[in-house]
Amino acid sequence: MKKYLSYIGIIIVAGAIYAFNNPPVDFEKENPDGIQFFKGSWEEALAKSKKEQKPIFLDIYATWCGPCKKLSKYTFSDKEVAKYYNANFINLSLDGEKDLGGVLANQYGITGYPALLFINSDGKLIQQFSGYHNSNQFLKLGNQVLAK
């Protein structure tokens, strides 16, 4: 019985530590210092991309996804990342499990989250990445895409 209670105690403590270190993230909340995500339709994003001659950066996430939360909390809120991505891309972030996010996840064959897609103004995929990337890695991805 004592062994059983010890296991339960360990599980509760581990869960509390996990919850403390991985707070919920509001993906819809705008961060004034972070990447500014476009709020219009897909067609409007494509038109804006064409007009401004900038590719689209499309973040497709899931609300339950740990690496998605880390990207949102740390990488997308980094001031250097925000300055670079806001200047060079039309940024869009969508939940891949509902509405337009689900449609685009299906259209681009997304099999896991986070999916980081770079798309031209005609809707053609330039390059695709997945998983968590810290600020420096994420800046390198942007540079790599723009160099193509």
Side-chain angles (χ1 to χ4, degrees):
M1 183 66 170
K2 285 183 181 182
K3 198 174 194 180
Y4 177 72
L5 291 176
S6 294
Y7 288 136
I8 290 176
I10 290 170
I11 290 169
I12 290 172
V13 168
I17 290 171
Y18 177 81
F20 180 76
N21 289 322
N22 295 289
V25 173
D26 183 357
F27 289 98
E28 302 297 320
K29 185 178 178 188
E30 196 70 35
N31 180 342
D33 295 328
I35 292 177
Q36 299 304 299
F37 290 103
F38 183 72
K39 298 298 182 194
S41 70
W42 180 240
E43 291 75 22
E44 291 169 331
L46 290 169
K48 185 174 175 78
S49 171
K50 188 167 289 209
K51 180 181 177 191
E52 296 184 19
Q53 297 183 338
K54 294 180 184 178
I56 295 171
F57 161 60
L58 174 60
D59 165 46
I60 299 184
Y61 65 87
T63 57
W64 49 263
C65 166
C68 301
K69 292 176 185 179
K70 279 182 71 174
L71 268 173
S72 182
K73 184 174 181 181
Y74 300 110
T75 306
F76 295 165
S77 65
D78 181 276
K79 287 183 182 184
E80 188 176 340
V81 167
K83 183 178 177 183
Y84 183 81
Y85 274 75
N86 292 339
N88 293 292
F89 297 97
I90 305 302
N91 304 297
L92 194 61
S93 185
L94 299 169
D95 185 339
E97 297 186 328
K98 63 183 194 182
D99 304 326
L100 177 58
V103 170
L104 293 176
N106 188 46
Q107 178 180 329
Y108 290 104
I110 302 307
T111 59
Y113 302 109
L116 310 169
L117 292 82
F118 294 87
I119 300 165
N120 71 18
S121 61
D122 294 323
K124 291 193 167 75
L125 185 66
I126 300 169
Q127 202 156 2
Q128 179 177 338
F129 303 94
S130 62
Y132 172 75
H133 298 272
N134 68 31
S135 297
N136 290 333
Q137 293 166 332
F138 197 59
L139 286 169
K140 287 178 185 175
L141 295 183
N143 282 322
Q144 182 179 335
V145 169
L146 292 180
K148 281 192 159 197

